[in-house]
Amino acid sequence: MKMALQTKTLTLVQAITDGLDIMLEDREDVILLGEDIGTNGGVFRVTEGLQKKYGEHRVIDTPLSEAGFVGAAIGMAANGFRPVVEIQFLGFIYPAYEQIMTHASRLRMRTMGHFTVPMVIRAPYGAGVRAPEIHCDSTESIFTHMPGIKVVCPSNAYDAKGLMIAAIEDPDPVLFLEPMRSYRSSREEVPEGKYTVEIGKGNKLTHGDDVTVIAWGAMIPVAMKAAEEMKQKGVECDVLDLRTLYPIDKDLIIQSVQKTGRTVIVHEAHETGGTGSDLISLINDEAFLYQKAPAERVTGFDAPVPYFGFEEYYLPTPKRVAAAIEKVMKF
């Protein structure tokens, strides 16, 4: 008789903490670095209690220098450690861009495989929490256009824990995007102990023959709500949670798009240069003759994320997504 898997009810942020805790205990080469991650447990308390449990030599408070501690982590990763770096907000990552682009993403190629960079860069991202300027950026496509680094973005607690463990065990650098809007918005049952969610594999959340809706991170609840509304009108959607933005799950996308012939892509980043553009190129390359309508994008606008009072006008909503679904259905 198979024993039931033990679970616990966690928010997304608690699931990330659980994954970090498991890997710190499981592997002595795992080290956490970042601003205020020790005593304070980080801005969002993701690392709360971990310094007390594992010591200051394993959970390290760093100076306010993203370029400095990301560069240090690259050196550590190339010399046998598995550092996990916290960037307080994705909008603060730009000083470290040169280190990531010039060194983290290229060291494997530069040394012809003699060195790898098994490190994780954690970064809370996205709007919807009424944070100040620079704190709400959704610039994931900057990094998906950077061969050599993997980019993941969980939408729920189960995926967050499994992807975190998989990212730490991966031999290459991983940018781990954490949707702030989803940190504590819901809870779900998460298995206790160690498990992984495969990097590079998406997940089909609903099944339908009419429209493929593609989203990730905090846009998954928005896409799901729109799909539920359209179901009441007789339109059935495949809702795909990409989970990994690079390398992307091409098979999952193409199989769905070939079935439905219609696509709506939802992301909160700017439309121009966003991941949606790459997805449309993929669909045109691999499934053009299956299309019944041009793909639609529901995105943020080509402007910086606005201040508090206008934030909700900037973000995609279920209403906007439902309108896009209706548009491709009527084409």
Side-chain angles (χ1 to χ4, degrees), residues 9 25 27 45 70-71 82 85 105 121 126 190 195 222 286:
T9 305
E25 185 169 345
R27 302 187 59 133
R45 305 300 182 259
V70 169
R82 290 182 177 264
V85 171
S105 68
I121 302 172
V190 176
Y195 69 90
V222 174
E286 303 290 339

Side-chain angles (χ1 to χ4, degrees), residues 94-321:
Y94 310 127
Y97 181 85
E98 190 273 337
Q99 292 286 351
I100 300 167
M101 178 66 172
T102 306
H103 303 295
S105 68
R106 296 170 182 258
L107 196 59
R108 177 193 281 273
M109 186 198 73
R110 183 179 296 149
T111 64
M112 294 189 291
H114 289 288
F115 288 92
T116 59
V117 187
M119 66 181 291
V120 178
I121 302 172
R122 294 182 38 246
Y125 88 102
V129 296
R130 305 180 72 81
E133 184 186 10
I134 311 297
H135 294 65
C136 301
D137 287 8
S138 182
T139 52
E140 60 270 22
S141 64
I142 292 176
F143 300 95
T144 59
H145 294 159
M146 188 186 291
I149 186 168
K150 297 170 183 176
V151 182
V152 303
C153 182
S155 67
N156 58 74
Y158 176 89
D159 289 348
K161 178 179 175 180
L163 282 169
M164 175 55 71
I165 293 171
I168 294 173
E169 292 187 329
D170 199 274
D172 294 306
V174 179
L175 176 61
F176 194 95
L177 298 174
E178 302 170 7
M180 293 186 289
R181 194 175 178 183
S182 304
Y183 263 155
R184 295 176 174 86
S185 62
S186 63
R187 295 175 178 269
E188 68 173 302
E189 293 299 309
V190 176
E192 294 184 354
K194 185 177 179 179
Y195 69 90
T196 59
V197 170
E198 185 178 353
I199 293 174
K201 292 294 182 182
N203 188 27
K204 184 181 290 189
L205 303 179
T206 65
H207 297 263
D209 294 329
D210 298 316
V211 181
T212 299
V213 181
I214 304 173
W216 54 90
M219 292 296 100
I220 288 297
V222 174
M224 288 292 290
K225 188 171 182 179
E228 290 166 8
E229 291 176 5
M230 294 307 298
K231 187 175 182 178
Q232 303 303 315
K233 299 180 180 181
V235 178
E236 301 278 353
C237 297
D238 265 4
V239 177
L240 308 183
D241 182 352
L242 292 185
R243 301 197 293 198
T244 300
L245 302 181
Y246 190 87
I248 213 155
D249 192 344
K250 295 181 180 180
D251 290 341
L252 177 71
I253 295 166
I254 297 306
Q255 288 170 12
S256 176
V257 170
Q258 287 180 344
K259 177 183 68 172
T260 65
R262 305 178 184 91
T263 307
V264 173
I265 300 163
V266 187
H267 64 69
E268 61 181 283
H270 314 307
E271 181 179 77
T272 300
T275 302
S277 301
D278 296 325
L279 293 172
I280 291 174
S281 295
L282 170 66
I283 292 165
N284 286 341
D285 288 344
E286 303 290 339
F288 180 76
L289 296 179
Y290 292 84
Q291 297 310 290
K292 301 172 185 176
E296 283 291 314
R297 285 173 290 173
V298 182
T299 71
F301 298 98
D302 286 345
V305 179
Y307 292 116
F308 310 152
F310 299 97
E311 197 175 43
E312 292 302 320
Y313 295 102
Y314 174 88
L315 287 166
T317 62
K319 183 178 180 180
R320 287 176 60 195
V321 177

Side-chain angles (χ1 to χ4, degrees), residues 82-94:
R82 290 182 177 264
V84 181
V85 171
E86 178 181 299
I87 304 291
Q88 289 189 330
F89 297 88
L90 182 60
F92 295 177
I93 203 171
Y94 310 127

Side-chain angles (χ1 to χ4, degrees), residues 6-46:
Q6 294 296 311
T7 64
K8 48 189 174 183
T9 305
L10 300 177
T11 62
L12 189 149
V13 73
Q14 290 171 330
I16 295 172
T17 306
D18 195 28
L20 292 171
D21 189 6
I22 286 171
M23 294 307 291
L24 281 163
E25 185 169 345
D26 188 57
R27 302 187 59 133
E28 292 186 357
D29 55 358
V30 174
I31 294 177
L32 311 188
L33 303 91
E35 299 164 359
D36 299 325
I37 68 167
T39 303
N40 289 340
V43 175
F44 295 98
R45 305 300 182 259
V46 175

